[in-house]
Amino acid sequence: MNSYVPILVLGALSLGFAVVSIGAGALTGPKRYNRAKLDAYECGIEPTPQPVGGGRFPVKYYLTAMLFIIFDIEIVFLYPWAVHFDALGIFGLVEMVLFIVTLLAAYAYVWRRGGLEWD
Amino acid sequence: MPTILAAETTQAADATGVFALSWLLIALPLLGAAVLLLGGRRTDKFGHLLGTAMPFAAFVIGVVQFVAMLGRDPENRTFSQHLYTWLPVGSFQVDAGLLVDQLSMCFVLLITGVGTLIHIYSIGYMEHDPDRRRFFGYLNLFIAAMLLLVLADSYLLLYVGWEGVGLASYLLIGFWSYVPEYAAAAKKAFVANRVGDFGLSIAIMIMFAQFGSVSFDGVFAGADGASEGALTAIGLMLLLAACGKSAQFPLQSWLGDAMAGPTPVSALIHAATMVTAGVYLIVRSAPVFNGAPDAQLVVVIVGAITLIFGAIVGTAKDDIKKALAASTMSQIGYMMLAAGLGPIGYAFAIFHLLTHGFFKAGMFLGAGSVMHGMNNQVEMRRFGGISSVMKITWITFGLGWLAIIGVPPFSGFWSKDKIIEAAFVGEGWRPWVFGGAALIGAGVTAFYMTRLFLMTFHGERRWTDDVHPHESPKIMTIPLMVLAIGSAALGLILGPTNALVHWLEPVTGAHGEEAPVLSVPVLTGLTLLLIAVGVAWAYSLYVRQPVPEVAPAGSVLTRAARRDLYQDAVNESLLMRPGQYLTRFLVWFDNRVVDGAVNGLAALLGGTSGRFRRLQTGFVRSYALSMFLGAALLVGAMLLVRL
Amino acid sequence: MSALSVSATFAAAEFQTPSIEYSKLMPMLIVFGVALVGVLIEAFMGRTGRHQVQLILSIAGLVAAFVSVTMLAGDNQIAAVGAVAVDGPALFLQGTILLLAIPGVLTMAERSLDRGGVFTSAGSSTPGSEHERVLTATGVTQTEVFPLTMFAVGGMLLFPAANDLLTMFVALEVLSLPLYLLCGLARRRRLLSQEASLKYFLLGAFSSAFFLYGIALLYGYSGTVRLSGIAEAVSSNSGSDTLLMTGTALLAVGLLFKVGAAPFHSWTPDVYQGAPTPITGFMAACTKVAAFGALLRVLYVGLGGLAWQWEPVMWGVAILTMVVGSVVALTQTDVKRMLAYSSIAHAGFILTGLVATDTVDPDTGAVLGVSSVLFYLLAYGFITIGAFAVVTLVRDAGGEATHLSQWAGLARRSPLVAAVFTLFLAAFAGIPLTSGFTGKFAVFSAAIAGDAAPLVVIGVVMSAVAAFFYFRVVVLMFFNAPAPDGPAVAVPSPLTTVAITLSVAVTVLLGVWPTQVLDLADRASQFVR
């Protein structure tokens, strides 16, 4: 069980940090609200307007997010391959080609079906 | 896990040579049925020919096997063919195999021989029916199932054939199912048969529980040492099955309605073959019944009741097919009676079954021929005087008539007389009651069959206007002639020589010579006297006296005819009413008591079901909750089990 | 820079290059390859002819994969660095799944019953919208169905062969995700279909979470996800029992969800009813085969040493499943829902055979618990596919007529279809000479050999209850007068005809002459460990 203690400590620390910083801000900070402050925080840019129909997002967002994840995962595999390229040899090449071809097929489908166009 | 008992009594040789072809007997008609039913309209052109060729080919194999069997010693005439192992689970296994012996050989020849003739006849009879091919497909299916029934070497496989026969008969009775009444008749036959099948399945279960085997060998070996109670239970359940299939009291009601099917079907199923399956079952189960005298007594009682019941119903029917159906019921009653008498009667039951197969098929086909010429009418009151226009039908039907009423030297005389003699063997009240019933039955049979024959072929022509009777085409009359020859001669060949009795002895067992309570010549004389009285009475009623006429318009009966009907009504009130009351009581019992119990259980289950069903709300959240609770339960259970 | 390269070199020295036996994985590779080609066809081929090409490709792929399974038959080894087992049960089940997928795909491709086929023109169009109407008028259909099905089949092939829990989880997701989508693609009653899809997805995700949690706990217990490693840990009795028990239970939840066992069955009726009927048939047959295969492997290989602890729990699940399935089916009024509950009841019957863990036939050396389940799955799969295919034939103006009252007097309209459906119902009920009887006989006798006689008694009683609702339909079809405006029986194209004929043939064959297949199941009943 001892090996789990650091995890518990980490969890306690992060929880403590969140509670303390939000609590401290709420207690000590000045409370002067305006429209800009009440808006959703989107890294400083103009927030995306609320879609019509009350809180629904176009499915396009999900599509983009999924495409991002696919290529994200590809990177996850590419990196260890690059690290152990020599050791993996021809086996690694074959496997990675299979992997990339699989992703490419999906990519081709998305591309041909207009998944990459916003409108 | 029960294991199959080693069959001690078996002396069956492995089927070799021509007997190795036994599976073909079943496979050929089955193939025909498959081609015709699955081939669809493509096979319309040659369907009837193929359908006829298949049973004929089976018949040829049967004849070759029969000849080969004749060439061997009586002890070495039994052959078994192992087809394959059906269920091999562990040390327990159920085999599918065929048994060819003297008894099944008789049936094979009857089924394929008479079956082929009926197929040939149907080519002509069904010529204008758009669904003739389908009809032949069903006929072939029936033949295959029936052959499986008589060739099976275990009760389980017999049951398969049994059900197949029931299915084929359901399909054939309801062949013209666009007529609601016909469909209803098919349904009725189906349900009555199911009741009987229930008996057979229970019998098989008891056998399995008692002997650990369902093969004939295993069961008969086990029957030697089994308790009488168990054998009686099995015997009674087998009898219930036989009653359903052979239209015996109290499950006889469906047979009359089953005449809705095309007439060749009535001839094939409801005269020559299917209805005799019950007799086969009892004779085949001889070792079981021999050990259960109580069950045998019940068989005899059922047979006696049915033979009288059928005979009296026969006197009341004006529909030619229904009158013949009633006579079938009565004749099978004779066979059951004989089968119930034990070793003394088994061979005679089969003997009568064979002769009956010929003359009844002949008469049914003859009736079909009459209907063919008379615009499909079945009302005998609108027949009369047909003998001059349909000579061949008249003569062949006449031979059948002489055979069934038992006029020497025609077939029925030999077989029925033997049964009457056998019924008079014994001590105490039994020979007098059962022998008396058989004797009276013979007289009544003579009366109603003569009535049927005379009303149809003789007397005044009471035809409706639009009817122009004519003889049927050759393809229909030739089978009639063949069957008529059989009706006339079969008894003469097998009867005086006792050939059939000796032939069947290895299967049914031998019995000593026992004298009936009245001497044989006296019995034969009495029988013939009663037959003569019956014929004379019918003659006086339907030829000499004013015939129950039909008005020229063809619908209103005269006063005289009404008096005749009055007699029918007496018959009905004397014998059919009690039957109806019993039926009603049984229906009541079924509705209130049986259904009550069943419905109560169903209501309980239904209520539970309804409550369960309400849990199925359609909301994902409640489903997820139920899953979560289930998971908690599972985790809890696993943790508990560990403790 | 140099430090990085040093560490890389250091790692490489220890690094073992894995090897993968591609030939042993051929069935799966073929199916996944076909699925990928299918995706490319969707991307690059024009609309016309796409349907045909996809159909031919899928069937060819399934047949090729089946052939490669038969060529592997007899193999008994672990492939792909311990991730995949190529042994008797895996190959038998893979063959079963592929054989079942063929009629499944054929029924999906049926286009003559409904204009444009079973599937919607565009899954993304809003039901009832103008967009949908325009698309429907063009008569096009979503041919993505074929590659999706192939992906699902691929996942199903991997599921019972997975030899470690992570591979098993990946297979679970690969088979599930396409099914979620396929459920929502019905052409008719789209809202019901989409609801089914969403429900299946949500609850499926929920159950996957349990499964994953179970894996995590078992990893915590044994330090490995490999089944053999877990088995070792169990036998050496190292680690916390609480982790082991809880992990086992949670893992079982995920698998029992997929087989539709109570109390994790609640999704089944809704999803079976809403999904396009060919998908329902495919899902009911193939998913059950794959999931039972995985359950068998986990319980026998990974947790075999724990058998006396999970057996009582499985008893409970089996009993509850049989009772719930059979009893609730009694009051169903919709054919598809009735068949759904029937499939739940059958899951219970199969579980009955599964608890016969250490019963080995002395003659053949077959593990009865495994061989009986293998046989049952094959028999049940074909009955199910056939029965749902028949359901697609009974139609009125609104599409399939699934309300039971509409089936009254069906024999009057089409004796053949009624007879075929009766055969399937008789097989479900376990009437002798149908495959259903042989299967029930096998699992029940295995359970008796495994000292689970009480379970068998309940199984037989519940079979009788189930027979009641099956034969109620038979009576309805044959003995009731048809409704005046009742549905008609549509004449299908050869595709559905072939599928139904195949199912009928297998159902009869396995009932009349099951010896060969029973032998095969016996021989295939040894897991590689």
Side-chain angles (χ1 to χ4, degrees):
Chain A
M1 220 46 190
N2 281 340
S3 50
Y4 292 102
V5 170
I7 296 180
L8 287 179
V9 172
L10 182 65
L13 278 178
S14 48
L15 187 72
F17 176 73
V19 170
V20 167
S21 50
I22 292 177
L27 287 175
T28 57
K31 299 177 180 65
R32 284 191 295 275
Y33 295 114
N34 61 31
R35 189 183 163 74
K37 283 191 174 176
L38 284 172
D39 261 348
Y41 177 67
E42 289 187 11
C43 299
I45 60 166
E46 189 85 349
T48 312
Q50 279 284 314
V52 281
R56 286 189 176 194
F57 286 90
V59 76
K60 299 162 191 165
Y61 285 104
Y62 297 101
L63 216 57
T64 310
M66 276 194 292
L67 283 175
F68 166 74
I69 289 174
I70 288 169
F71 288 105
D72 207 27
I73 289 172
E74 189 173 6
I75 289 297
V76 170
F77 278 90
L78 281 174
Y79 184 74
W81 181 41
V83 171
H84 285 294
F85 186 81
D86 290 337
L88 284 166
I90 206 76
F91 168 79
L93 185 68
V94 171
E95 283 295 306
M96 284 315 290
V97 166
L98 285 179
F99 179 63
I100 293 170
V101 163
T102 306
L103 280 185
L104 273 182
Y107 180 72
Y109 177 75
V110 172
W111 164 52
R112 289 286 299 178
R113 281 307 176 86
L116 301 180
E117 291 153 32
W118 189 253
D119 285 315
Chain B
M1 182 110 317
T3 51
I4 296 275
L5 280 178
E8 290 161 352
T9 57
T10 181
Q11 71 273 34
D14 276 342
T16 51
V18 64
F19 295 100
L21 298 178
S22 300
W23 64 276
L24 271 179
L25 288 172
I26 300 163
L28 284 174
L30 196 62
L31 175 73
V35 170
L36 295 186
L37 295 178
L38 301 177
R41 303 244 166 257
R42 280 173 293 255
T43 56
D44 270 354
K45 281 230 171 67
F46 59 90
H48 52 284
L49 298 177
L50 180 76
T52 310
M54 287 304 171
F56 182 69
F59 178 64
V60 171
I61 296 177
V63 168
V64 173
Q65 288 189 341
F66 176 65
V67 171
M69 213 181 245
L70 279 178
R72 300 176 68 104
D73 295 335
E75 300 81 42
N76 295 329
R77 285 175 177 164
T78 306
F79 302 91
S80 67
Q81 184 174 29
H82 176 84
L83 294 181
Y84 60 87
T85 303
W86 180 37
L87 280 182
V89 178
S91 51
F92 170 77
Q93 62 177 36
V94 181
D95 290 340
L98 301 181
L99 174 70
V100 187
D101 64 0
Q102 290 92 330
L103 180 59
S104 44
M105 206 66 236
C106 289
F107 275 87
V108 167
L109 292 177
L110 178 73
I111 295 162
T112 54
V114 175
T116 306
L117 290 174
I118 290 169
H119 276 77
I120 295 172
Y121 176 92
S122 305
I123 295 177
Y125 190 84
M126 299 295 284
E127 190 168 7
H128 304 295
D129 197 297
D131 277 333
R132 182 167 68 167
R133 167 193 54 83
R134 189 159 60 86
F135 180 76
F136 273 87
Y138 291 162
L139 278 188
N140 273 354
L141 181 66
F142 172 80
I143 298 269
M146 190 70 203
L147 286 169
L148 181 63
L149 195 163
V150 299
L151 286 170
D153 76 342
S154 70
Y155 282 99
L156 201 62
L157 201 58
L158 179 144
Y159 186 70
V160 174
W162 191 270
E163 290 291 337
V165 164
L167 172 70
S169 107
Y170 168 74
L171 292 171
L172 283 166
I173 297 171
F175 187 72
W176 289 319
S177 62
Y178 45 81
V179 183
E181 280 171 45
Y182 291 3
K187 206 193 293 182
K188 191 171 177 182
F190 188 71
V191 172
N193 268 299
R194 288 301 317 166
V195 176
D197 298 350
F198 187 62
L200 184 53
S201 57
I202 292 195
I204 294 177
M205 287 177 208
I206 302 176
M207 287 173 197
F208 187 73
Q210 282 284 320
F211 312 130
S213 168
V214 292
S215 73
F216 290 151
D217 285 342
V219 171
F220 298 161
D224 273 347
S227 72
E228 194 179 315
L231 292 179
T232 306
I234 295 174
L236 290 179
M237 284 301 132
L238 290 176
L239 175 65
L240 180 63
C243 284
K245 200 60 101 194
S246 293
Q248 295 295 290
F249 182 82
L251 295 176
Q252 78 285 22
S253 62
W254 64 273
L255 189 63
D257 292 1
M259 295 302 124
T263 307
V265 170
S266 310
L268 177 61
I269 294 184
H270 307 118
T273 53
M274 174 175 120
V275 289
T276 59
V279 181
Y280 171 79
L281 184 67
I282 304 250
V283 174
R284 176 57 84 193
S285 311
V288 172
F289 281 97
N290 291 346
D294 291 345
Q296 277 183 318
L297 180 63
V298 180
V299 174
V300 176
I301 293 174
V302 164
I305 291 179
T306 315
L307 85 87
I308 297 286
F309 189 100
I312 293 177
V313 170
T315 62
K317 293 287 179 189
D318 285 335
D319 176 324
I320 186 169
K321 285 178 72 179
K322 293 201 168 166
L324 284 172
S327 108
T328 303
M329 211 185 282
S330 166
Q331 297 300 311
I332 295 172
Y334 272 104
M335 300 172 209
M336 293 294 270
L337 184 130
L341 293 172
I344 191 172
Y346 291 137
F348 300 140
I350 300 299
F351 186 17
H352 195 52
L353 192 155
L354 292 178
T355 57
H356 174 259
F358 273 90
F359 58 68
K360 187 53 68 60
M363 282 194 285
F364 259 117
L365 294 186
S369 176
V370 170
M371 287 162 61
H372 200 70
M374 301 288 284
N375 287 1
N376 280 326
Q377 285 185 14
V378 289
E379 179 69 32
M380 287 192 289
R381 294 182 183 282
R382 304 218 180 123
F383 294 166
I386 298 176
S387 57
S388 54
V389 281
M390 300 174 78
K391 282 236 152 45
I392 300 174
T393 307
W394 172 57
I395 294 170
T396 54
F397 201 102
L399 286 170
W401 163 64
L402 290 171
I404 192 173
I405 65 177
V407 172
F410 300 103
S411 297
F413 167 73
W414 301 102
S415 51
K416 201 192 285 177
D417 202 47
K418 290 286 185 193
I419 293 180
I420 294 173
E421 278 173 31
F424 268 106
V425 172
E427 290 168 358
W429 56 275
R430 289 188 193 179
W432 299 104
V433 171
F434 300 133
L439 204 56
I440 294 168
V444 183
T445 305
F447 171 76
Y448 73 80
M449 284 312 297
T450 309
R451 168 180 178 270
L452 186 152
F453 183 68
L454 295 177
M455 275 177 88
T456 305
F457 290 99
H458 295 277
E460 288 172 48
R461 297 181 172 184
R462 302 180 298 274
W463 310 341
T464 43
D465 285 345
D466 52 341
V467 168
H468 307 287
H470 54 85
E471 187 56 277
S472 301
K474 283 253 161 45
I475 196 149
M476 289 168 67
T477 52
I478 289 174
L480 284 179
M481 292 182 229
V482 177
L483 287 169
I485 294 169
S487 318
L490 192 64
L492 203 55
I493 300 169
L494 299 177
T497 56
N498 262 346
L500 190 75
V501 177
H502 294 310
W503 168 259
L504 286 174
E505 215 159 53
V507 183
T508 58
H511 65 95
E513 285 295 318
E514 289 164 85
V517 288
L518 292 172
S519 74
V520 173
V522 172
L523 278 179
T524 310
L526 260 178
T527 313
L528 290 177
L529 181 70
L530 275 173
I531 291 170
V533 169
V535 171
W537 191 20
Y539 184 75
S540 68
L541 273 180
Y542 297 99
V543 178
R544 293 280 299 278
Q545 284 189 13
V547 180
E549 278 179 7
V550 181
S555 62
V556 185
L557 303 172
T558 60
R559 267 180 181 280
R562 244 179 255 135
R563 274 207 298 281
D564 187 56
L565 280 177
Y566 175 69
Q567 183 147 16
D568 289 348
V570 170
N571 284 346
E572 283 194 4
S573 61
L574 270 182
L575 279 139
M576 287 176 71
R577 285 278 159 73
Q580 282 171 349
Y581 284 129
L582 181 66
T583 318
R584 262 179 228 152
F585 169 74
L586 285 175
V587 166
W588 175 87
F589 184 79
D590 190 58
N591 282 345
R592 292 292 156 80
V593 183
V594 178
D595 282 11
V598 171
N599 287 343
L601 189 65
L604 177 71
L605 285 173
T608 318
S609 178
R611 272 187 286 282
F612 266 130
R613 202 180 159 192
R614 235 165 288 149
L615 290 177
Q616 200 72 21
T617 54
F619 291 118
V620 179
R621 54 175 184 265
S622 62
Y623 293 176
L625 183 65
S626 76
M627 275 178 64
F628 186 77
L629 292 178
L633 211 64
L634 216 60
V635 172
M638 280 302 286
L639 290 174
L640 263 181
V641 164
R642 186 179 55 114
L643 295 177
Chain C
M1 180 68 200
S2 71
L4 188 69
S5 71
V6 166
S7 75
T9 329
F10 179 67
E14 281 192 324
F15 195 85
Q16 293 286 318
T17 307
S19 71
I20 289 185
E21 300 83 347
Y22 294 101
S23 64
K24 304 291 177 202
L25 308 180
M26 211 29 112
M28 289 171 257
L29 292 179
I30 291 174
V31 169
F32 281 127
V34 166
L36 271 187
V37 175
V39 169
L40 290 176
I41 289 174
E42 287 302 316
F44 294 105
M45 196 176 156
R47 268 201 198 286
T48 48
R50 208 195 274 165
H51 188 267
Q52 254 102 355
V53 171
Q54 290 282 27
L55 171 63
I56 294 168
L57 184 71
S58 305
I59 295 293
L62 291 172
V63 170
F66 181 74
V67 170
S68 67
V69 166
T70 58
M71 291 199 307
L72 288 174
D75 262 29
N76 204 33
Q77 67 175 70
I78 289 175
V81 210
V84 179
V86 185
D87 56 8
L91 290 171
F92 188 96
L93 291 171
Q94 288 182 339
T96 305
I97 291 164
L98 290 165
L99 278 185
L100 289 171
I102 291 171
V105 168
L106 289 178
T107 51
M108 288 177 210
E110 178 66 58
R111 299 186 87 171
S112 60
L113 293 176
D114 211 345
R115 189 167 169 274
V118 195
F119 298 100
T120 177
S121 309
S124 56
S125 62
T126 314
S129 66
E130 181 67 12
H131 183 212
E132 182 198 32
R133 221 169 49 73
V134 172
L135 277 170
T136 309
T138 60
V140 296
T141 188
Q142 291 249 240
T143 43
E144 279 88 346
V145 168
F146 293 100
L148 283 172
T149 306
M150 295 306 276
F151 278 121
V153 170
M156 289 167 186
L157 295 184
L158 183 57
F159 202 32
N163 196 40
D164 70 45
L165 292 175
L166 271 185
T167 312
M168 196 174 269
F169 178 72
V170 170
L172 174 69
E173 291 305 311
V174 171
L175 82 87
S176 300
L177 290 171
L179 286 179
Y180 300 147
L181 271 176
L182 288 168
C183 285
L185 291 181
R187 176 171 290 263
R188 312 277 191 133
R189 297 179 203 155
R190 289 194 55 206
L191 280 175
L192 198 64
S193 170
Q194 294 188 348
E195 183 187 328
S197 175
L198 190 64
K199 274 182 187 168
Y200 192 21
F201 170 67
L202 289 174
L203 294 173
F206 193 47
S207 82
S208 292
F210 280 110
F211 187 81
L212 209 50
Y213 199 8
I215 295 178
L217 292 182
L218 285 180
Y219 181 77
Y221 168 77
S222 65
T224 174
V225 290
R226 186 122 329 147
L227 290 176
S228 51
I230 294 172
E232 262 172 46
V234 169
S235 64
S236 65
N237 202 12
S238 58
S240 150
D241 266 5
T242 313
L243 278 183
L244 174 63
M245 296 298 165
T246 317
T248 304
L250 293 179
L251 201 63
V253 169
L255 292 167
L256 290 172
F257 172 86
K258 278 291 160 195
V259 304
F264 315 104
H265 66 284
S266 44
W267 60 279
T268 319
D270 291 16
V271 173
Y272 279 21
Q273 187 186 16
T277 307
I279 294 298
T280 312
F282 169 70
M283 190 162 72
C286 295
T287 312
K288 198 151 282 189
V289 175
F292 262 109
L295 191 60
L296 272 177
R297 190 176 294 281
V298 167
L299 292 183
Y300 276 58
V301 177
L303 303 166
L306 208 59
W308 60 273
Q309 273 157 331
W310 57 253
E311 264 179 21
V313 179
M314 282 296 155
W315 270 53
V317 173
I319 292 172
L320 189 65
T321 308
M322 288 190 283
V323 171
V324 166
S326 305
V327 171
V328 184
L330 287 175
T331 45
Q332 297 305 315
T333 53
D334 184 283
V335 174
K336 285 170 81 178
R337 281 185 89 83
M338 189 202 82
L339 290 177
Y341 279 106
S342 130
S343 94
I344 295 171
H346 280 275
F349 296 137
I350 302 176
L351 284 172
T352 306
L354 187 123
V355 299
T357 37
D358 46 3
T359 48
V360 178
D361 189 315
D363 299 335
T364 56
V367 184
L368 290 180
V370 179
S371 68
S372 64
V373 170
L374 294 184
F375 183 87
Y376 201 115
L377 287 170
L378 176 65
Y380 165 82
F382 273 101
I383 307 169
T384 305
I385 291 242
F388 278 107
V390 172
V391 171
T392 63
L393 300 183
V394 183
R395 315 182 69 89
D396 61 11
E400 286 160 11
T402 56
H403 198 274
L404 272 177
S405 65
Q406 293 172 295
W407 285 57
L410 194 74
R412 216 65 66 75
R413 293 180 206 274
S414 174
L416 184 64
V417 167
V420 167
F421 200 62
T422 302
L423 172 75
F424 290 134
L425 291 175
F428 275 133
I431 302 300
L433 291 185
T434 60
S435 57
F437 171 76
T438 321
K440 274 214 181 90
F441 190 87
V443 289
F444 286 165
S445 51
I448 285 182
D451 292 330
L455 209 51
V456 174
V457 171
I458 295 173
V460 170
V461 171
M462 282 306 137
S463 300
V465 173
F468 175 77
F469 65 77
Y470 294 128
F471 283 105
R472 201 178 49 147
V473 181
V474 175
V475 169
L476 197 66
M477 288 192 301
F478 280 88
F479 296 145
N480 283 27
D485 54 345
V489 173
V491 178
S493 72
L495 296 171
T496 304
T497 314
V498 167
I500 294 178
T501 312
L502 188 66
S503 310
V504 168
V506 174
T507 303
V508 172
L509 190 75
L510 292 187
V512 176
W513 200 346
T515 319
Q516 307 293 324
V517 182
L518 280 172
D519 276 355
L520 189 64
D522 275 351
R523 270 181 279 131
S525 63
Q526 303 283 359
F527 281 108
V528 65
R529 279 161 210 273

